[in-house]
Amino acid sequence: MRVDFYQLSRDPVEVALPLLARATLNAGERMLVVSQDPAQLARIGEGLWSLAETFLANGRAGEPHEDRQPILLSEKAEAANGARFLALADGQWREEAAAFARTFLLFDDRTVDGARGVWRQLRDRQDTERHFWKQDGGRWVEAG
């Protein structure tokens, strides 16, 4: 399992996540986006549909054709669309992430302490590769 920690310091999650989603789709994968905040999921959905140059089709868990969605938005870490990539948009770690090939943990100033705890928690897992990314101007730079 690979876990990518994304520290949001410049852009909110609804701006940063569509770029990760586009890269995921370009890699031939599907993505599950999870947040306990329905309003945040709505903003992310809008961001996916209005991404510059193209839109990224997405749907909500529990709605018709959820299994066909390349990007599924949900309040639970259950990949009804068969996604192998998981984005934890609300900055909250879920143990279900271990079932995914790759997890993106997006966190901000409110959730930074939790992300640090997860970083330490995953340090000793033999089957886990950790990467830390931060925003540098308009781009992402791997910092650890």
Side-chain angles (χ1 to χ4, degrees), residues 82-95:
R84 294 177 356 104
F85 285 25
L86 170 66
L88 300 173
D90 59 7
Q92 301 300 312
W93 180 255
R94 292 152 177 90
E95 283 305 315

Side-chain angles (χ1 to χ4, degrees), residues 49-121:
W49 282 111
S50 61
L51 188 64
E53 302 159 13
T54 185
F55 69 91
L56 300 174
N58 65 89
R60 296 291 289 257
E63 293 182 356
H65 310 294
E66 66 182 358
D67 59 325
R68 296 185 194 171
Q69 298 299 331
I71 303 167
L72 186 64
L73 309 177
S74 179
E75 294 179 18
K76 298 179 182 179
E78 299 170 1
N81 65 341
R84 294 177 356 104
F85 285 25
L86 170 66
L88 300 173
D90 59 7
Q92 301 300 312
W93 180 255
R94 292 152 177 90
E95 283 305 315
E96 295 90 343
F100 291 82
R102 188 167 182 184
T103 298
F104 306 99
L105 178 63
L106 295 99
F107 63 96
D108 57 17
D109 290 340
R110 290 181 308 104
T111 54
V112 67
D113 290 336
R116 287 179 180 145
V118 173
W119 179 268
R120 288 188 300 270
Q121 172 189 344

Side-chain angles (χ1 to χ4, degrees), residues 34-47:
V34 176
S35 174
Q36 285 293 313
D37 181 353
Q40 184 182 53
L41 287 175
R43 290 190 307 272
I44 291 168
E46 291 171 15

Side-chain angles (χ1 to χ4, degrees), residues 7 10 82 90 107 123 135:
Q7 184 171 9
R10 180 179 154 233
D90 59 7
F107 63 96
R123 176 181 26 217
Q135 291 180 299

